[in-house]
Amino acid sequence: MGATFDFVFMDPRLHTFTAADAGFWRIREVRGVTGQTLPGAGYLDVSAGMGPAGGQVWQLRGIRSNERYTTREEKAQLLQKQEGLGRAASTFAALIPIRKTEAWWQLSQDERREIFEGQSRHTTIGLRYLPAIARRLYHCRDLGDAEPFDFLTWFEYRPEDEPAFDDLVAELRASLEWTFVEREVDVRLER
Amino acid sequence: MGATFDFVFMDPRLHTFTAADAGFWRIREVRGVTGQTLPGAGYLDVSAGMGPAGGQVWQLRGIRSNERYTTREEKAQLLQKQEGLGRAASTFAALIPIRKTEAWWQLSQDERREIFEGQSRHTTIGLRYLPAIARRLYHCRDLGDAEPFDFLTWFEYRPEDEPAFDDLVAELRASLEWTFVEREVDVRLER
């Protein structure tokens, strides 16, 4: 099990988003989009692993995982166009936690894929905003029984690209896929 | 959040398999199929939630989740043919924890689906053994960074169906999909 531990130590898939009175990212706005919002707070930190144990206003966890809907061709397009997180000019960020309905989770894989891409063009829309809007998805639904959200999506971009980011989320929120979203919060940040 | 708590209380998706000196299921055999095996133990209990906190020889957790590869048509066939767990005559059971390679998890969704069903006929093989072999899948990979397995599959059947169960697992182990299995343990039980 030594090799497994080393891998985990070097590249933890689990990350924790902690809203508190201090942190690396200043929270500009916490806006409830659908369902119950999150409390306002001053700052947000992103940390590998389980995060700090106390002092937070709220704390959300998610784990990086395999892609669920992306084809090889789409993955190649994404890899070709996207840039990594942490770019010097990307001083704005957004954290968008989402919970989908039980009806969504009861769909079969082909039905979810058809809504996700066939109807809603989720990957195609995201591709159009690359590389300006960098994105990383964390899964929370299967961390346990008590998770308040199914996904956390983290975005980084330059301040002048915020209008484009607003267009991106508006396009997705107008899609068929979003009729299955029962809770969504939009947290905007800057560093 | 009250509704969420009620739902979780009534139907927890997380289950814990605890091997110990006493329990509902007697362990007949613990056999390492690929990679490191698990220690032998006398009995196994299956409990909802996190399970007992001490006294175990080993403990594995998994969570029921949405299907990842099943189409609507396949799901309809499964629902029509399968029977539930807990049938009075099904006094034999098996717990098969599996871990897949990093190469598997780096594949795109369409590549994994093609190997899972197009090449390996995973669902088709399972269907042929219904309703005799009842099956429930638990996911562990995304519970956290330190899980020793990716999946736990639980099977229940009558003692006279054990030769059929041996055929079922032999068919799967001979498939292309199983070339991506790097750890597998086969635990046989009776009550």
Side-chain angles (χ1 to χ4, degrees):
Chain A
M1 303 288 287
T4 302
F5 180 79
D6 290 345
F7 176 78
V8 166
F9 183 76
M10 291 187 300
D11 180 21
R13 297 191 296 129
L14 185 72
H15 280 72
T16 300
F17 299 81
T18 304
D21 294 339
F24 184 76
W25 295 90
R26 189 181 70 78
I27 296 178
R28 293 183 286 134
E29 187 188 5
V30 174
R31 186 161 63 87
V33 179
T34 304
Q36 190 184 359
T37 189
L38 288 166
Y43 294 87
L44 183 96
D45 262 340
V46 186
S47 47
M50 292 294 284
Q56 67 272 12
V57 179
W58 47 260
Q59 200 165 48
L60 297 173
R61 294 191 179 89
I63 191 159
R64 298 177 65 186
S65 187
N66 57 297
E67 287 123 14
R68 307 295 162 88
Y69 303 110
T70 317
T71 64
R72 169 55 54 185
E73 189 181 328
E74 289 160 356
K75 189 168 178 168
Q77 290 179 312
L78 289 166
L79 288 172
Q80 194 195 349
K81 259 194 106 177
Q82 75 192 3
E83 295 176 2
L85 300 180
R87 294 171 296 183
S90 293
T91 58
F92 269 28
L95 173 68
I96 303 194
I98 279 179
R99 183 182 179 94
K100 284 183 171 170
T101 61
E102 188 57 30
W104 172 262
W105 295 112
Q106 291 300 324
L107 294 174
S108 59
Q109 176 68 27
D110 58 329
E111 290 170 328
R112 279 182 276 107
R113 160 76 196 183
E114 170 59 20
I115 294 167
F116 180 92
E117 189 59 28
Q119 300 286 323
S120 305
R121 298 280 164 203
H122 190 131
T123 301
T124 303
I125 291 170
L127 264 169
R128 284 213 320 276
Y129 292 91
L130 290 179
I133 314 290
R135 169 189 173 281
R136 178 170 288 175
L137 178 66
Y138 298 87
H139 296 255
C140 1
R141 177 173 167 81
D142 288 346
L143 286 178
D145 270 319
E147 292 301 316
F149 295 99
D150 293 334
F151 310 99
L152 313 174
T153 314
W154 176 261
F155 303 89
E156 289 180 7
Y157 48 88
R158 299 174 303 173
E160 56 266 41
D161 287 325
E162 188 146 83
F165 181 69
D166 287 332
D167 290 345
L168 164 59
V169 295
E171 281 197 71
L172 288 171
R173 286 173 188 153
S175 70
L176 178 61
E177 184 190 351
W178 247 251
T179 63
F180 293 91
V181 171
E182 65 179 15
R183 188 177 182 195
E184 178 176 8
V185 183
D186 188 327
V187 183
R188 300 292 175 100
L189 309 120
E190 75 178 318
R191 61 171 164 88
Chain B
M1 306 287 287
T4 301
F5 180 79
D6 291 346
F7 176 78
V8 166
F9 184 76
M10 291 187 301
D11 181 20
R13 297 191 296 126
L14 185 72
H15 280 72
T16 300
F17 299 80
T18 304
D21 294 338
F24 184 75
W25 294 92
R26 187 181 71 79
I27 296 178
R28 294 183 287 133
E29 186 188 5
V30 175
R31 185 161 64 88
V33 179
T34 304
Q36 192 184 1
T37 189
L38 289 166
Y43 294 87
L44 183 98
D45 262 340
V46 186
S47 47
M50 292 293 284
Q56 67 272 10
V57 179
W58 47 262
Q59 200 164 48
L60 296 172
R61 295 193 177 88
I63 191 159
R64 297 176 67 184
S65 186
N66 56 297
E67 287 124 14
R68 307 294 162 87
Y69 303 109
T70 317
T71 64
R72 169 54 56 187
E73 189 180 327
E74 289 160 354
K75 189 169 179 168
Q77 290 179 311
L78 289 166
L79 288 171
Q80 194 194 348
K81 261 195 104 178
Q82 75 192 4
E83 294 176 4
L85 299 181
R87 294 171 298 184
S90 294
T91 58
F92 270 27
L95 173 68
I96 302 194
I98 279 178
R99 182 181 180 94
K100 284 182 171 170
T101 61
E102 189 57 29
W104 171 262
W105 296 113
Q106 291 300 324
L107 294 175
S108 60
Q109 176 69 27
D110 58 330
E111 290 170 328
R112 280 182 276 105
R113 161 74 196 184
E114 171 58 20
I115 294 167
F116 180 92
E117 189 59 28
Q119 299 287 323
S120 305
R121 298 280 163 203
H122 191 131
T123 301
T124 304
I125 291 170
L127 263 168
R128 284 213 321 276
Y129 293 90
L130 291 178
I133 313 291
R135 170 188 170 280
R136 178 170 289 174
L137 179 66
Y138 297 86
H139 296 255
C140 2
R141 177 172 167 81
D142 287 345
L143 287 177
D145 270 318
E147 291 302 316
F149 295 99
D150 293 333
F151 310 100
L152 314 174
T153 314
W154 176 260
F155 303 89
E156 289 179 8
Y157 48 90
R158 299 175 304 173
E160 57 266 41
D161 287 324
E162 188 146 82
F165 181 68
D166 287 332
D167 291 344
L168 164 60
V169 294
E171 281 197 71
L172 289 171
R173 286 173 189 154
S175 71
L176 177 62
E177 185 191 352
W178 247 251
T179 64
F180 293 91
V181 172
E182 64 180 17
R183 188 178 181 194
E184 177 175 8
V185 183
D186 187 329
V187 183
R188 301 292 175 98
L189 309 120
E190 77 179 318
R191 61 170 165 85

